[in-house]
Amino acid sequence: MTRTIDRRTFLKAAAATGIVVACGDQGAPAGGGGTAKGTISGTVTVSYADEAGLKPKYVQLAADGLRAKYSGVDVKIDHQKIGSGDFYTKLLLALNAGDVPDVIHVGGDKIGELADAGHIEPLDGYLKQWEDWSKVYPDAVKSGVTYQGKVWAIPYGLDTRFLFYRKDVLDKAGVGATWTGPKNVDDILEVAKAVKSKVAGVIPYALYAGPAGDSGTANHAFIPLLWAYGGDLQKDGKWIGDSPALRKVLDYYGRTYRQDLSPKEILTTAKPWTAMREKLGLKGELALLFEGAWNYGGWVTKDKAATERNVGYALFPTATGGPSFTIGGPGTAWYVTAKSKNKDAAWEFVKAFNTKEIVAKLNIEDPHPVARTDSAEVAEFKADKYLVDSTESLKKARFAPPDANFGKVIGVIQKATARVATGEMSADDAAKRYTDELRQAVGADKVITQ
Amino acid sequence: MTAVGPQAAVQVDIPPPIRPRERGTPLEWALMHLAFVAIAAFFLAPFVWLFAAAFDAEATAYIRVPGRLTLDNFTYIFRELAFAKALANSAIVAGATTLLVVLTVTVAGYGLSRLELRRKGWITFAVLLLQTMPLSATMVPIYGLARLLGLRNSYLGLILIHAAIELPFLVWLMKGFFDSVPRQLEEAAWLDGRSKLRALFEIVLPVARPGIAVAAGLSFISAWAEVLMVIILVDKQDMKTVPLAFYETFRTAGGYVEVQYGLVAAMGVLYLLPVMAVFFATRRLMVRGLVSGTKGL
Amino acid sequence: MIPGGGGAAAPARPVPRDALRRQAPYLFGLAPAAILLAAFFVGPALWAAYASLTNTALVGIDAARPRFVGLANYERLLGDPDFANVIRNSVVFVVGSAVIGQFVLGLSLALLIDHAERRGYRLATLAYAAVLLAWVNPTVIAGFLWVAMFDFYNGSLNTGLALAGAGPVDWLGQFPMLSVVIANTWRGAAFTMLIFLGALKTIPSDIYEAARVDGANAWRRFWDHTLPSLRPIGALALLSITMSTFGTFILIQTLTNGGPGTQTEVIALYAFHEAFRSYAIGYGSAIAVVMLLINFAFAIVYLRWSRARA
């Protein structure tokens, strides 16, 4: 019933604006199989959120490109101006109720849970007929979007992270303006202490903890530390609970917060990363921050010269050595929904977006390493030092496991870090609780301890 | 603001007892005036930020003396953020909701009051308890239901659901008001040959007017403030109400590096004024309603 | 007067056929409200009750294939150490902001303003309007306003303290429960104030005259006469603000989002987080059902108490 209303209203609007819409058959064969071009028609609904404000014009470009290629297709763009967290919640509510857009745009880390829920469509059938996939997408990128042997989403801007620091603040703290990175993990705290004692009005270090930090608590704080201390999230497909590395990480959190090196606001503010990145990049009120590499773009847009002068970036150190690795991710990606009524056309849209030009241009504005190797060869891309460095950093990046339960594990990580950061529990007690909660979240049979 | 409210019985209005005005001691005068200043300060202090930031060219989330006064925040939200539409939507939804609620709870309260049923007390009690159902449990089924009935992204949907939220408490309130209107009044009217409906309109309702005013006032305030249901029901830009506009501005304006608090504050000021005006205009009736509502005890 | 008791006397005999016809208009009157309530309250409540017996989720394998798990969610809830903490926080929050805060403050305000009216002090109107403004403004705004007050670096409160020469207080970080209690008290005091103002006006003044003639001073008059007269309505007000405060969460979510850690995680917020952060609908529904039961218990206690007094 809703469908008919949509079409009627839509036709009226179409007549008014002159868009040609074919009243063609909207059925599509069951997913995965590519079909002849002639049957690409109907309406494709594209649903996405975008906080940075950079994507709409590219989504529009892709839509225009698709319409130009197939005159029988129309694209309805549902751009929701809410945060990506809220967007995901609403999307899940919609998918569960049966309101299914054809194309969705969410983080690549959601592949596991969305696939398990039956919300998304595997793309292997389509990929066989898309030569770009085999030509310009490296294996590492492909494995980032593979789950249970199938590919579920197309990434375009990959995630990498840097340890950002304010050169001017570190200079005042006596660390020196030519600092290129901490000697080891504890050195970060040493530098933070220097900032705290010598530079007034500047937050030394932002170490995300608790649920307020969202996935940042895991990706931008906990997990790199865990790897730095030689631990890991999984071994042989099982999640690791209590381990020596875990205890060291929780102890690190305890030390950081007990010495007031990281602000307590992180635990209570909504979206603390907004304030933190503003403070580091724009205001110089934060000295050290491990965050997504893309933030640099926002700072550059505001004040290129100042950013290049004041903001430095490095890889993350290990427990014993200097900057050597980072954490990567598939970034936000494009999916086709499983219950879409127009999967072929949906796939065509995804292809229309993921062209060499769009991928390159978007990631120049919103700096991410690109998923396509040919986009990286675009002149403007190669000319930007930061982009080149970001892409390089991916070679040293480790990735979190693409597991459907990763979301639940993030919740457990948030609780554990909050407990030590607030001083509610000691690192050892928190580690024990971590194991219990991990067992509760993913099933006791999937958890081991070291 | 789904406050579960005061009680049932109310008497027909008796004029309040006349109290002699006594003079107080100077100390009493001083202490009480000090108290009033302190109270006013405590309750008004948080609003200072709102009004300061709305006119501030470089507003922050925190209070500061505006460096540069400007009306730009206001013009921006109207020009770029379609705030006029959001305000209009809020007004339409809140107004229609109030109308629907008043109509519904009046007849429901009357019906419940006059109904002869052995376990009526339990029903009344259950109705009240409904209000305590937390939203998180009902978001998923309401989303599904709204979608099924085609209520999403529509005025009808917003109105129906905004109305439903206030029903439990207000039905209970109106029942209380009608309980205090003695049946003799209607019975006399019936004996006079009037139909039940006419009796209701001509005799009972005027007496219950304060209660209706309370119901109208509270439902407007509540509908104006409702945010969670709007998030569930609306994703189209032109259907959004002010709380949703708030969310969007707070979360996304200016790119993800900076939140523009001046815009948020400007929206807040314009959002606050109508509900203040409505409350101010109806306060006499409303307070009288709440006052009469408690007299019966 | 107790709520839930029929107001006008309701006969308890069984209803004969034409009495049913007599009742019909009343039933019709109830119909629109009943339909809306059934659709948007009863229906979802039943759904939630059922969902609490499953492990349904919004995403992940439990979304595709939810299983009936009986009382497993409830067992998990009762065994969760976090839940004990959540209950404790809820009790503290309700006692602090409803009982001590809104109730006591509302009563005091009502007494003050009532007294001021008798004395003819007009400044009382300013205080009265201020209290009402705090109540009437939309919740999202209230949240913003108090974040601006409590912020550590530049918040209004700390700025004021700095002007007075005192150091900044980490309101939300170090005293989160106190902060949300203050904010919620600010928000809801008007309600009890209005109720008590109304009640005070109904106390006949001859009681006071008689007491004064008897030589009782102001304090005695208050304690022996005013308070007892206010008790019934006070009990009612207490019940209603208890139930409503128990379900408050937007304000807390805006100020601390349950943090730091879980120090201000009250049960309404906990249910919300489980349902919409962890997407565990089954578990979140179980928490909601528990909330409903607790409210039910409150109401029963109140009814017993008020019936005992009647």
Side-chain angles (χ1 to χ4, degrees), chain B residues 44-57:
Chain B
L44 291 177
F47 291 99
V48 177
W49 170 78
L50 191 70
F51 287 91
F55 295 98
D56 191 347

Side-chain angles (χ1 to χ4, degrees), chain A residues 1 59 70 76 90 104 116 132 146-147 190 193 195-196 200 204 234 314 318 321 335 352 365 370 377 384 391 436 450:
Chain A
M1 185 186 108
V59 173
Y70 298 106
K76 255 172 57 163
K90 277 188 88 170
I104 57 177
D116 275 356
D132 291 9
T146 306
Y147 174 68
E190 289 303 315
K193 274 189 238 168
V195 170
K196 185 171 158 69
Q234 280 190 343
T318 63
Y335 302 65
E365 281 185 42
V370 283
E377 295 300 312
D384 188 323
T391 314
D436 291 336
Q450 291 175 339

